[in-house]
Amino acid sequence: NVGIQNSHGLLSPTQWDQSLDVRDDDGFFGSAEDFYALYQERFGAPPAYQAAYSAAMGYSLQKAIESAGSLDTEAVKVALWNLSLKSFYGLLEYSAPGDISGLVGTQPRRPMVTTQILNGSIGVVAPAEAATMELDYPMLTWAEKALLLYPCPQGTVEDGFAADGSIQCTACDAGTYRDRFVLSCSPCPPGSFADSPGTAVCRKCPPTTRSANQSASRSCVQCPAGTLCPTGTSQPLPCPVGHFCPAGRELPAPCANGTKRSEPGARGPEDCVACAPGTYNALVGRSECASCQAGWFSASSGQLECSMCPRGSLASNTGTSVCTACADAGPRGSTTQDIASSDSSACRCPLDTYLPLAGRACLPCPEGLFCAFGADLQSVGEASAAWPVALPGFMARAGEPLVVYRCLFAEHCPGGACEDGACTVQTCAPYRDPAAVACGRCAEGAYQSGQECLPCEGGVDALPIVFVTLAVVFALAAVTYAINRDMIKQTRWAVGMMVSLTCLFSATQTTSVYLSLNMAWTEPLGSLMKAMSLMTFDLSLVKTECIMSSNPVSQQLFRQLIPPIFLAYILIVMVVKRRLAPKTEFGPEFTNTAGTILMTFFVSICISAFDPLVCYNHPGHVYSSMRKEPSVLCFDSSEHSAMLAIGISAFILTPLPFLSVAIFAVWKYPRYIARHDIAFMKAFRFLFFRYEPSAYFFGVAFLLRNLMICLVPVVIRDDIAAQILAIATIIVVSVVAQCLLQPWRNFLANILDGAMTGCILLVLVSGAVGGGYVASEATTQAISMVMVGAFLSMWVTLLAGNVYKQLTRRDVYDMFICHDKVGAAAQARLIKFLVAEHTGQRVALDSDELHHLDTVLDTIKAKVRHLAVYLTRSTLTRPWCAGEIVTAFKTGKRITAVLTPSFVAPIEEQLEAAGAYLDVGGADLLVQFGIAMSDIRNSFLQLVEAKGCSHVQVDADPTSTQHFSGLITLLLHKGAKAAPPPHTPSPAPGCLAISADPCDPEAAAAACILINKAKASGLTFLNDGVCLLSDHMDLGVDGHRLAITSARALVVMLSTKTLMSRDQLEIIAYAKGLNEKGHGPVTIPANIFGFSFPTAHYYGQVLPRIWPEVSEAQVRRIGVFFRTASCPYSTRASDQVLRAQIHAIVRRIPLNWTSASGIGAGIYEDDLTHIEFEDNDGEEEEEEKEEEEQYEEEEEEEQEEIEEEVVREPLRSGLAAKLPGMRASELASMP
């Protein structure tokens, strides 16, 4: 008992208790409670925490040995240090060497619990989550602990021992008590009583009574009136003031409101006195009545409350019954801010008005200002005073409180603040210059970061500046190298990648224009727009304000110098490149690089130059600020004048000349292309290389589009909605143009460009929706009228055009030649030329005028009178030819079929399976135009059987001019017979000799075209004649050699059969033999499409089989000839292209020519060593020199006209893709 008594309430920390919620990971001991039970069962006594600790250590050692896989001491130590084990003892982790505790192998951070002994029982009391019993605190004193085992019950005391030796207990007397906290009977305290013996606790006297004695009372007595006796009272208390106390009342009764009681001891309500007039008592139980305060009034006595003076009046004294009016106490139009005003100074100007200096009347608050109640200009800057302050988004500079400036971004200008009639002057955000208009720039020692200014603390971080500078330096150097690589070596995928990057830069540049619009961007567009500021040469991201002047003029000048700096650096790079690679084409590469940079940053350069012209108005429209530099007033400050001069000069010196050069280059593009000016293409590849040849002008169109977008914020000011609509209109028009033209060389780039343009349009729309901008009614009406008018105009024009064409259908072509473009292109073109020459009729070839099958078919339907079908071996297998024939039969056109020897009519089985008879994919193509296979079968039958058409039979392949002339006679005169070939005069000295494979009608036709086109050119030196050797087959080999010997030049038509034609090979060897000896004609190779130059295998294996008697000298001469640069001569191209190619051949014919002496029939190769050419006398030589100079001048003028016509026309009509592609394929086959 003594142990329980003395240990009661003791606290002790412990490492472990069986009640803790912990257990082993592997269930070896189980939980703490399981371990407790096992231990007690094993040893017959409960375990102390030391026993649990010992078992836990053994458990840890076992797990460490298992983890180490060894009994090695060091290995086990390491395993113990790395151990993290849940157990019945809690988490087991041991400190390793270097632990912050400085201990090794211990558990320095192991949590402990607190136990307490209560009445002999031990339990956990802390922490709360582990407690098994409540904490008993504060602890009992030692005396209180002694009572825990007192032998007598409460209300009794120990009174010796009984006879049997037990303790005897005696009850306490009435008026006394004993509880468990005392050891003897004590008298009841005052205000309490004990009316019987053996009391453990005295009872308190009930309300309205008091104890009969001061102590040891056995009863309570009643309290008199005018007093209070609460529970447990020994002496009556006087009734408090403001109340009255009747006899027997437990609580005092308050005097009613409107009355008072100033002295204590009131017995009843009659003792409460009513409040006098001018005072009031709103509450009950008051000792005094309060006077009405100033601004309030009370008209009679006994009032419960005072009334407030209404607005516009005041009461300056207390206890008044009448309020004074504010009519003449202040300025005109003034009033009081609140009711119950008590001072004449409360009469002030109302909200949204202000009192001017020395003013007698209140005036309306200007736009952009907030005029709190009582705003007074005389109080500007005074503490606890109100004056006009700027609203958020506006500012007014010190000394000009009524001159309001609109801030470009609301974050720049938090505005002033007025609270409780006191205003502050803070008009700019932190670190912004309060003296700058519209808080438009950062203060000295601060830099721009997004929309806020931050201090330049700790100096400038040079790393971003160095990084940006190095990035630009390396990027420009890399661009200079990349964009000047050989165009031939660049794959279409490389071109596609470059075009994709161009589209990306284009979209980025266009998006950067949005920075000139005062739009609020939500995230993530806000961050995107912030990054776009670099595209407009805004270098605030690298804290330029911290290293250079923040003066706007300096900043503007620096921005305008960036493009010239780039160009100067490119010039340096080019100089270095020229030193390292002497073959560098300095001029073209520099032009291309500079053009690429200027085109890439064209929008940025223009925006930067236009910055001084992009202004927005301030309230009142008296002043306006630059949107780029809001601190600069437009047209009203020296800074703006300087910036405007810099911007205009920069535009005149950089973008405008660049745009002019680009326009000039596009204008001259056809002429330079016709000249094969590769230097021009290299210099301006930035303008043309990315686009299809048919859309070579798109680069300039793209620049003009960007220029118009840049001009929108210049032309349209402040009306954000109108700016958005204008830019959207320009973008939509450009998207339509891009979709129609498909300008990019890479197909995916066209899709990417359209998609990215759509995305930048969506960005614009998102900004408009997020900002909630609304166009003015006038702007909306104007734009709506323009859009509706444009739509109606386009619709009416399209409809009227179609109606006009339908009503005025008339034949444009007298004849349309349907032919196989592979096997009869030259023959068809020659027929066209001869028919036009003989009859003046207009003849069409689809390769000249038409480029799409639907256009061809529509032309035959509406614009052709006569269809001539030139039937060669593959004509009827061509889908286009089939479509043309079916359409002509269906529309009742006159049809003439020209049957050549190579034509074989299709048999019935082939006609039944017309889809298989046509080339692959032909049937699918024609079905798209409503042409069925049955239509093809029926039309082919009519054509072959001459039903509904006429036939012209060609008995032998035409290989001479006479043959083609006879063919034209048969074609033009139905039923006529071919006249016998007219006698062809013998070749004259100085003539132009042309050699073509006599067995190849295509080669002969190509030669005839050359003859006719050359004659039509009117060149004077052709007066000596043009001789096609196949026209003189009767002369034999000797006659041909004689003609070659006396010819001015020999043009060799290189066709697909040339390398297998012995006749042509002998002519080539003969002509080159003459050239070796300094005589003979100039030999000009002209390679027709399909010709392939010979290889070593040909010279060693094929040529000897074709010409067994060929000598080594002849083989060498043939090789020399084929190594001579040939002229491309494509009869598949249009008339314009063909004319340019013929002109190139003619230019190689010498103007000066002298006849050889002693030339006659029978002169052979071996005799040529004795031939000498006569010299013209001085007069003839002078005449020829003058004629040559005149010819060269005329030729140059004619060349320019031809080049423009030849190239510009096909470019306009969409044939540009054919010209470069054709020449590339032909040139690629050269040795």
Side-chain angles (χ1 to χ4, degrees):
N1 287 344
V2 174
I4 293 174
Q5 173 181 320
N6 293 334
S7 65
H8 180 79
L10 293 182
L11 296 170
S12 174
T14 183
Q15 293 277 354
W16 178 83
D17 190 84
Q18 70 271 16
S19 64
L20 296 179
D21 185 19
V22 290
R23 63 177 54 250
D24 303 329
D25 278 336
D26 57 1
F28 185 83
F29 285 112
S31 64
E33 188 176 354
D34 292 339
F35 178 82
Y36 183 88
L38 288 171
Y39 188 94
Q40 193 167 31
E41 179 181 354
R42 174 68 178 82
F43 297 104
Y49 81 86
Q50 291 89 343
Y53 174 79
S54 300
M57 297 305 103
Y59 182 56
S60 300
L61 183 60
Q62 175 188 339
K63 291 299 181 181
I65 293 173
E66 292 176 356
S67 175
S70 169
L71 293 177
D72 180 71
T73 302
E74 294 303 320
V76 173
K77 280 184 180 181
V78 174
L80 281 171
W81 293 337
N82 295 326
L83 189 67
S84 180
L85 178 67
K86 292 181 180 179
S87 71
F88 75 95
Y89 195 69
L91 182 65
L92 298 176
E93 292 180 340
Y94 301 98
S95 57
D99 189 82
I100 192 172
S101 65
L103 302 176
V104 179
T106 64
Q107 300 183 70
R109 286 171 290 280
R110 175 178 175 82
M112 301 179 69
V113 297
T114 302
T115 59
Q116 187 175 34
I117 301 174
L118 296 177
N119 294 323
S121 298
I122 302 177
V124 177
V125 296
E129 60 270 15
T132 59
M133 60 192 332
E134 292 186 4
L135 176 66
D136 187 5
Y137 190 84
M139 297 173 59
L140 298 178
T141 64
W142 288 107
E144 290 171 338
K145 288 184 179 182
L147 293 175
L148 290 176
L149 301 177
Y150 191 74
C152 293
Q154 296 182 24
T156 64
V157 292
E158 185 178 0
D159 191 16
F161 295 92
D164 58 359
S166 61
I167 298 175
Q168 182 173 335
C169 296
T170 303
C172 293
D173 296 334
T176 64
Y177 76 98
R178 191 192 73 82
D179 58 14
R180 67 187 184 91
F181 298 107
V182 295
L183 298 178
S184 60
C185 295
S186 301
C188 290
S192 63
F193 70 98
D195 56 358
S196 63
T199 299
V201 178
C202 296
R203 290 181 296 167
K204 291 184 179 180
C205 290
T208 72
T209 64
R210 63 180 179 81
S211 57
N213 303 311
Q214 287 299 316
S215 64
S217 295
R218 298 188 178 191
S219 63
C220 297
V221 297
Q222 186 71 40
C223 292
T227 63
L228 286 177
C229 290
T231 301
T233 299
S234 60
Q235 291 292 335
L237 302 175
C239 191
V241 294
H243 296 76
F244 59 92
C245 300
R249 184 176 176 86
E250 182 178 353
L251 296 175
C255 293
N257 45 12
T259 65
K260 66 174 182 175
R261 172 67 183 184
S262 304
E263 298 176 356
R267 296 173 175 269
E270 65 278 4
D271 294 335
C272 296
V273 181
C275 292
T279 63
Y280 74 98
N281 191 357
L283 303 176
V284 297
R286 306 296 291 182
S287 61
E288 295 293 340
C289 294
S291 297
C292 292
Q293 62 184 3
W296 297 70
F297 70 98
S298 175
S300 60
S301 62
Q303 292 296 312
L304 303 183
E305 60 182 10
C306 297
S307 300
M308 293 184 292
C309 292
R311 287 186 177 89
S313 62
L314 56 93
S316 56
N317 299 320
T318 60
T320 185
S321 61
V322 178
C323 294
T324 304
C326 194
D328 298 323
R332 190 166 55 253
S334 64
T335 185
T336 57
Q337 184 176 15
D338 300 311
I339 57 176
S341 297
S342 60
D343 196 301
S344 60
S345 62
C347 294
R348 300 180 181 180
C349 292
L351 185 68
D352 293 331
T353 64
Y354 73 100
L355 184 65
L357 294 174
R360 297 293 299 171
C362 299
L363 300 179
C365 197
E367 180 187 358
L369 293 180
F370 170 71
C371 295
F373 179 84
D376 188 349
L377 284 184
Q378 293 181 343
S379 303
V380 174
E382 294 182 6
S384 302
W387 62 85
V389 296
L391 289 169
F394 297 87
M395 71 88 67
R397 293 188 290 184
E400 297 177 323
L402 296 182
V403 180
V404 186
Y405 303 102
R406 189 190 313 275
C407 299
L408 189 59
F409 296 98
E411 296 87 348
H412 294 178
C413 305
C418 290
E419 185 176 357
D420 297 332
C423 296
T424 58
V425 199
Q426 183 181 3
T427 56
C428 290
Y431 301 108
R432 286 199 167 272
D433 187 359
V437 172
C439 303
R441 59 170 165 247
C442 297
E444 288 297 328
Y447 68 95
Q448 184 84 24
S449 177
Q451 298 307 325
E452 63 178 346
C453 291
L454 299 176
C456 300
E457 296 178 349
V460 179
D461 186 2
L463 183 60
I465 300 175
V466 173
F467 176 78
V468 171
T469 304
L470 291 179
V472 171
V473 167
F474 285 111
L476 288 178
V479 167
T480 303
Y481 169 76
I483 64 177
N484 289 302
R485 293 182 62 213
D486 192 342
M487 292 185 289
I488 299 176
K489 296 180 180 180
Q490 295 187 18
T491 65
R492 58 192 298 265
W493 299 112
V495 174
M497 182 177 65
M498 293 174 59
V499 170
S500 300
L501 291 175
T502 301
C503 293
L504 176 62
F505 265 93
S506 168
T508 304
Q509 289 277 292
T510 304
T511 308
S512 65
V513 178
Y514 300 164
L515 294 172
S516 298
L517 309 179
N518 188 17
M519 299 176 65
W521 298 97
T522 57
E523 291 299 333
L525 294 179
S527 299
L528 177 63
M529 291 299 108
K530 180 179 177 182
M532 290 299 173
S533 61
L534 276 176
M535 301 300 296
T536 58
F537 306 131
D538 183 358
L539 301 180
S540 60
L541 292 179
V542 293
K543 305 181 183 180
T544 53
E545 297 95 328
C546 296
I547 59 176
M548 61 181 295
S549 173
S550 60
N551 183 275
V553 178
S554 302
Q555 295 283 343
Q556 172 76 354
L557 180 61
F558 178 72
R559 287 194 296 269
Q560 304 316 307
L561 288 177
I562 290 178
I565 291 173
F566 282 4
L567 297 182
Y569 174 70
I570 292 171
L571 184 63
I572 295 172
V573 172
M574 290 301 305
V575 171
V576 174
K577 184 179 179 183
R578 183 69 173 269
R579 289 290 185 88
L580 298 177
K583 294 184 178 180
T584 299
E585 299 179 76
F586 188 90
E589 290 192 15
F590 175 74
T591 304
N592 179 45
T593 307
T596 300
I597 297 301
L598 292 177
M599 193 163 189
T600 301
F601 293 99
F602 182 78
V603 173
S604 300
I605 296 171
C606 289
I607 291 176
S608 182
F610 293 157
D611 278 339
L613 294 173
V614 181
C615 304
Y616 70 96
N617 290 323
H618 292 299
H621 297 269
V622 177
Y623 299 107
S624 61
S625 280
M626 285 178 53
R627 191 172 298 280
K628 179 69 175 179
E629 294 286 349
S631 63
V632 178
L633 293 176
C634 292
F635 308 103
D636 197 45
S637 65
S638 58
E639 286 181 331
H640 183 263
S641 299
M643 295 178 72
L644 184 61
I646 293 172
I648 294 176
S649 301
F651 180 74
I652 293 175
L653 294 176
T654 306
L656 186 59
F658 172 69
L659 182 60
S660 302
V661 170
I663 294 174
F664 178 79
V666 169
W667 179 47
K668 289 293 185 181
Y669 176 80
R671 178 176 299 181
Y672 284 107
I673 283 294
R675 291 180 179 177
H676 300 179
D677 193 337
I678 193 64
F680 171 83
M681 288 302 298
K682 288 181 178 180
F684 290 96
R685 62 190 290 188
F686 71 90
L687 196 60
F688 304 115
F689 185 61
R690 295 170 295 174
Y691 306 113
E692 291 286 353
S694 59
Y696 68 96
F697 54 84
F698 192 78
V700 167
F702 183 72
L703 291 175
L704 293 175
R705 184 207 77 167
N706 289 341
L707 180 60
M708 286 191 292
I709 292 177
C710 294
L711 287 173
V712 167
V714 176
V715 177
I716 305 175
R717 294 172 56 178
D718 282 336
D719 195 342
I720 304 299
Q723 291 176 339
I724 293 173
L725 289 175
I727 292 178
T729 301
I730 296 173
I731 292 176
V732 169
V733 171
S734 69
V735 169
V736 173
Q738 188 268 338
C739 293
L740 291 175
L741 294 174
Q742 296 288 299
W744 301 99
R745 284 184 183 267
N746 187 280
F747 173 73
L748 293 178
N750 287 296
I751 299 176
L752 177 64
D753 187 23
M756 296 192 71
T757 306
C759 289
I760 63 177
L761 184 60
L762 289 178
V763 170
L764 182 65
V765 173
S766 300
V769 173
Y773 305 109
V774 180
S776 63
E777 183 177 356
T779 301
T780 304
Q781 289 179 350
I783 294 178
S784 300
M785 291 178 63
V786 171
M787 295 180 69
V788 171
F791 172 76
L792 291 177
S793 299
M794 289 187 292
W795 183 80
V796 170
T797 302
L798 180 63
L799 180 62
N802 285 305
V803 171
Y804 174 78
K805 287 185 177 181
Q806 184 66 26
L807 296 179
T808 59
R809 289 177 53 185
R810 55 191 179 88
D811 295 335
V812 176
Y813 299 108
D814 297 286
M815 180 181 291
F816 187 98
I817 301 177
C818 171
H819 66 286
D820 173 20
K821 299 176 186 62
V822 176
Q827 299 171 67
R829 185 168 300 283
L830 179 60
I831 292 172
K832 171 188 174 181
F833 179 84
L834 294 176
V835 169
E837 183 181 42
H838 283 73
T839 65
Q841 295 181 358
R842 189 174 182 192
V843 184
L845 292 178
D846 51 9
S847 58
D848 284 342
E849 311 290 346
L850 310 169
H851 324 296
H852 303 285
L853 181 56
D854 56 346
T855 309
V856 172
L857 300 183
D858 189 68
T859 299
I860 293 176
K861 296 173 190 175
K863 301 180 180 180
V864 171
R865 292 192 181 97
H866 183 190
L867 178 71
V869 184
Y870 195 75
L871 293 173
T872 54
R873 181 178 58 187
S874 302
T875 302
L876 295 185
T877 65
R878 305 304 186 197
W880 281 42
C881 295
E884 294 164 3
I885 294 170
V886 171
T887 302
F889 273 111
K890 289 279 188 180
T891 54
K893 303 294 180 182
R894 175 188 168 192
I895 303 174
T896 300
V898 180
L899 285 70
T900 65
S902 65
F903 173 70
V904 178
I907 61 177
E908 182 65 25
E909 289 77 4
Q910 290 175 320
L911 293 178
E912 290 298 332
Y917 180 68
L918 297 176
D919 288 343
V920 176
D924 297 337
L925 174 65
L926 295 176
V927 167
Q928 299 176 25
F929 298 94
I931 299 176
M933 295 300 102
S934 59
D935 296 329
I936 298 174
R937 175 185 176 280
N938 296 334
S939 297
F940 281 5
L941 281 175
Q942 294 181 67
L943 185 71
V944 171
E945 297 173 0
K947 295 179 180 180
C949 66
S950 59
H951 280 184
V952 172
Q953 183 66 50
V954 179
D955 297 328
D957 285 329
T959 57
S960 66
T961 56
Q962 299 92 334
H963 290 154
F964 283 106
S965 297
L967 173 60
I968 297 304
T969 301
L970 294 175
L971 181 62
L972 295 178
H973 305 287
K974 186 177 181 180
K977 295 184 179 179
H983 174 70
T984 303
S986 300
C991 69
L992 170 64
I994 301 177
S995 170
D997 182 4
C999 299
D1000 186 353
E1002 270 295 278
C1008 291
I1009 293 172
L1010 176 60
I1011 293 172
N1012 286 279
K1013 293 285 187 181
K1015 287 181 178 180
S1017 65
L1019 300 176
T1020 56
F1021 65 78
L1022 294 180
N1023 294 334
D1024 295 329
V1026 181
C1027 168
L1028 177 61
L1029 296 181
S1030 59
D1031 286 347
H1032 302 277
M1033 299 303 294
D1034 56 325
L1035 297 180
V1037 175
D1038 293 342
H1040 287 178
R1041 291 188 175 188
L1042 177 60
I1044 294 171
T1045 304
S1046 61
R1048 177 188 301 266
L1050 171 66
V1051 177
V1052 182
M1053 310 302 294
L1054 304 178
S1055 61
T1056 55
K1057 299 179 181 179
T1058 295
L1059 297 180
M1060 308 301 292
S1061 172
R1062 177 168 176 171
D1063 290 339
Q1064 274 200 288
L1065 294 173
E1066 289 182 358
I1067 288 172
I1068 292 170
Y1070 180 77
K1072 296 307 292 184
L1074 293 176
N1075 295 155
E1076 285 181 358
K1077 299 174 180 180
H1079 307 300
V1082 173
T1083 54
I1084 306 172
N1087 58 301
I1088 304 174
F1089 181 80
F1091 173 76
S1092 298
F1093 284 87
T1095 61
H1097 172 76
Y1098 173 82
Y1099 292 114
Q1101 304 295 329
V1102 180
L1103 181 57
R1105 292 201 302 268
I1106 299 170
W1107 187 1
E1109 301 85 4
V1110 65
S1111 65
E1112 292 183 3
Q1114 290 169 326
V1115 172
R1116 176 177 50 77
R1117 292 164 187 164
I1118 293 173
V1120 170
F1121 171 80
F1122 283 119
R1123 285 194 297 273
T1124 304
S1126 67
C1127 296
Y1129 186 63
S1130 177
T1131 55
R1132 297 186 182 185
S1134 65
D1135 264 345
Q1136 293 90 342
V1137 174
L1138 191 59
R1139 185 169 61 178
Q1141 293 177 340
I1142 292 174
H1143 189 77
I1145 295 174
V1146 171
R1147 291 181 65 183
R1148 295 178 63 172
I1149 300 174
L1151 296 178
N1152 295 326
W1153 179 85
T1154 57
S1155 59
S1157 60
I1159 295 179
I1163 297 179
Y1164 295 96
E1165 178 182 355
D1166 295 337
D1167 299 322
L1168 292 177
T1169 55
H1170 306 291
I1171 296 178
E1172 296 181 359
F1173 291 89
E1174 298 178 357
D1175 293 331
N1176 293 329
D1177 56 20
E1179 183 179 353
E1180 292 178 347
E1181 191 176 76
E1182 184 67 26
E1183 289 178 356
E1184 286 196 0
K1185 184 176 182 181
E1186 292 178 359
E1187 181 181 350
E1188 181 180 353
E1189 292 177 353
Q1190 181 179 1
Y1191 169 75
E1192 288 178 351
E1193 293 178 359
E1194 294 175 352
E1195 182 188 45
E1196 184 176 354
E1197 295 177 358
E1198 181 185 4
Q1199 172 69 6
E1200 292 181 356
E1201 295 175 359
I1202 290 176
E1203 288 169 350
E1204 292 183 4
E1205 177 63 25
V1206 167
V1207 181
R1208 192 182 302 278
E1209 180 60 29
L1211 289 175
R1212 279 198 296 263
S1213 59
L1215 286 175
K1218 293 184 178 181
L1219 176 60
M1222 187 188 314
R1223 290 175 176 169
S1225 61
E1226 292 168 347
L1227 293 174
S1229 64
M1230 292 184 179

